[in-house]
Amino acid sequence: MSKTVGIGITGGIAAYKMADLVSRLRKDDIEVIVMMTESATRFITPLTFKTLSNREVITDLWQDSQEWPVQHIGIAEELDLLVIAPATANMIAKMTHGIADDLVSTVALANTAPVLIAPAMNSNMYQNLVVQDNLKKLSLYGYEILDPASGVLACGSIGPGRLPEIDIIYQKIIRMLNPKQDLKGKRLMVNAGTTCEDIDPVRFIANRSTGKMGYMIAEEAVCRGAQVILVSGKSDLTPPLGVDYIKAWGAQEMCDIMLKYQPMCDIIIGAAAVGDFKASRAANQKIKKMENKSGSLTLELVSTPDILKTLGQAKKPGQVMVGFAAETQDLIDNAKKKLESKNLDFIVANDVTMEGAGFAADTNIVTIIERNGETRSLPLMSKKEVAASIIDSVVNLLS
Ligand code: PMT
């Protein structure tokens, strides 16, 4: 069943950023009820949030509502999570002391769901002992408080007080909505993105992987309580909150890193698109444009290490190892060969020629092939849902 998040927006310049958060949550089919203080409406209009959330936006305790006869109680009863962001010093003080004199503070008091607070204000205000004391109290009451980011603030001063990145607030919300902790106490290492093999100081061989699939697996695993090491090749994505993040360039470097951490891991997942070839010798200087008649350049390529195969040979008892197979033909047969040769527990086969599957897409179409030959073909799903299915299969194996 879809979850409902209440977002209480209070009067700070960062209020406009909440539009992005609301649309991201809606894309995940999460119901969003936006409440705004009168000051918040001076920074961004309720109409923006009404359009994005597709629900009434309440700004006033006395506002007539089509949805709730007694708004503050009705809203509070619907919530699975209440988020106050940006949270001003004033709203934090009211929540600390049980003052309920506007819609947001009244819902906060009537609410029984978990609460996430993202403070955002001038750094002197944030560092003021009164505000710090209030935040400590709220934390003792069980509220989750996100640390603000540091940097240049809208008022010109520099220091802590910026609203954390929307991505961070979003990830925190997803984690708080998803209390399933079936990987608690487990350490999972996943690789993602494309490896890069140098040809010369300015050119390299890479592939189309963006890292989306592997980063989603890392995110899902942290959400479910695992300690996660994300070994990433080239990718423009921001690592999920709370992962140990290690960058790798070529296949050899990625292999060395993963071999180092393998002994401490319970689960290893290979989602990276590891290049199979590299130049036999990378040139020290930029290779000049060919001046010969044919204009051609011949590069000699040699194999890179097969990371999963290397790790598969060193697999410790009880360690679960999962690979992907990116195929353009004979999906199941090719994937089964990789499952065997790399000593994996199961393999996730994706036909990367299919629309909505494989590289760069936000979705994937995969077949999970177990060691006993059992196969499970999943329909077109978001990479987030695919990641959840993979983690479900891992949990099954562990139990
Ligand atoms: O990153 P995205 O844009 O979201 O795209 C996702 C993806 C298509 C990259 C992902 O779904 C995927 O299929 N990843 C595996 C890509 C790949 O290298 O497949 P492969 O069939 O060539 O390799 C089989 C397995 O061996 C993979 O788990 C791979 O990580 C691993 N491998 C391959 C070669 C090598 N030298 N070392 C390896 O460890």
Side-chain angles (χ1 to χ4, degrees):
M1 207 177 76
S2 142
K3 301 268 185 177
T4 303
V5 174
I7 302 188
I9 305 176
T10 70
I13 184 75
Y16 77 93
K17 295 185 180 171
M18 304 314 288
D20 184 23
L21 181 68
V22 173
S23 51
R24 284 188 68 175
L25 293 171
R26 289 296 300 128
K27 274 190 198 141
D28 288 347
D29 279 335
I30 293 170
E31 280 292 318
V32 182
I33 300 172
V34 176
M35 297 152 275
M36 302 175 77
T37 60
E38 199 272 326
S39 325
T41 63
R42 293 175 182 243
F43 291 96
I44 179 164
T45 65
L47 180 63
T48 306
F49 293 108
K50 186 177 173 195
T51 313
L52 292 171
S53 66
N54 204 20
R55 295 213 45 174
E56 219 180 305
V57 172
I58 308 290
T59 57
D60 179 0
L61 210 43
W62 310 108
Q63 184 178 326
D64 269 343
S65 163
Q66 307 282 330
E67 291 197 47
W68 305 279
V70 186
Q71 305 148 8
H72 62 286
I73 304 297
I75 293 174
E77 277 172 355
E78 263 197 56
L79 301 184
D80 295 296
L81 177 71
L82 173 64
V83 181
I84 307 290
T88 56
N90 182 45
M91 183 54 67
I92 289 166
K94 289 205 262 188
M95 287 173 72
T96 311
H97 298 286
I99 296 171
D101 62 355
D102 62 18
L103 193 266
V104 175
S105 55
T106 309
V107 170
L109 203 57
N111 166 62
T112 54
V115 179
L116 175 66
I117 300 176
M121 65 198 76
N122 163 274
S123 39
N124 288 341
M125 288 169 81
Y126 176 68
Q127 285 166 328
N128 189 306
L129 288 182
V130 176
V131 173
Q132 287 302 312
D133 252 20
N134 286 341
L135 287 171
K136 266 190 214 124
K137 275 195 195 134
L138 289 176
S139 166
L140 283 176
Y141 297 154
Y143 296 178
E144 287 278 343
I145 319 274
L146 277 176
D147 286 336
S150 280
V152 182
L153 304 178
C155 57
S157 63
I158 300 175
R162 283 170 68 91
L163 186 76
E165 292 296 324
I166 290 303
D167 199 41
I168 291 179
I169 303 177
Y170 166 80
Q171 286 180 40
K172 190 74 192 177
I173 290 174
I174 298 299
R175 279 174 213 182
M176 288 180 76
L177 286 177
N178 180 7
K180 199 152 125 193
Q181 292 289 291
D182 46 8
L183 284 185
K184 189 119 199 129
K186 303 289 178 199
R187 197 186 293 265
L188 178 149
M189 175 162 62
V190 56
N191 64 8
T194 170
T195 53
C196 301
E197 304 298 343
D198 289 340
I199 295 171
D200 68 16
V202 297
R203 304 178 181 98
F204 55 85
I205 304 169
N207 58 62
R208 298 169 199 273
S209 170
T210 56
K212 284 181 186 171
M213 191 66 252
Y215 278 53
M216 273 302 172
I217 293 170
E219 158 108 45
E220 176 70 17
V222 189
C223 264
R224 289 165 71 163
Q227 275 183 279
V228 175
I229 303 173
L230 170 59
V231 184
S232 177
K234 192 172 179 320
S235 167
D236 292 335
L237 301 177
T238 310
L241 195 64
V243 304
D244 291 321
Y245 181 65
I246 307 173
K247 286 285 273 180
W249 184 248
Q252 186 64 59
E253 189 191 1
M254 190 177 266
C255 190
D256 293 343
I257 293 167
M258 294 186 78
L259 269 175
K260 178 174 160 198
Y261 291 104
Q262 177 176 22
M264 61 173 74
C265 292
D266 305 288
I267 307 142
I268 294 171
I269 303 183
V274 184
D276 290 316
F277 313 104
K278 63 175 185 173
S280 59
R281 209 168 43 84
N284 290 331
Q285 303 298 332
K286 182 178 172 190
I287 300 171
K288 294 284 176 220
K289 206 165 151 185
M290 293 298 116
E291 302 294 357
N292 61 13
K293 257 197 191 154
S294 69
S296 66
L297 165 72
T298 304
L299 273 181
E300 188 193 32
L301 299 179
V302 293
S303 294
T304 55
D306 187 317
I307 301 176
L308 278 191
K309 194 168 185 174
T310 313
L311 268 64
Q313 283 157 2
K315 188 173 165 185
K316 61 174 189 177
Q319 193 167 53
V320 172
M321 279 190 58
V322 180
F324 271 77
E327 303 297 341
T328 57
Q329 55 187 348
D330 302 329
L331 180 72
I332 304 296
D333 281 352
N334 285 331
K336 279 184 174 167
K337 283 180 198 146
K338 289 176 184 171
L339 172 75
E340 278 299 324
S341 69
K342 294 170 200 257
N343 194 18
L344 305 173
D345 293 282
F346 67 88
I347 194 156
V348 184
N350 42 192
D351 179 342
V352 294
T353 62
M354 285 176 84
E355 182 79 31
F359 297 104
D362 289 324
T363 52
N364 209 351
I365 306 168
V366 304
T367 301
I368 295 181
I369 308 172
E370 307 272 353
R371 245 196 126 72
N372 61 10
E374 227 174 77
T375 62
R376 198 155 50 93
S377 294
L378 304 180
L380 177 84
M381 285 175 158
S382 67
K383 282 187 173 165
K384 187 182 167 67
E385 290 166 325
V386 172
S389 292
I390 293 170
I391 297 297
D392 285 344
S393 298
V394 167
V395 169
N396 259 343
L397 277 178
L398 287 170
S399 52

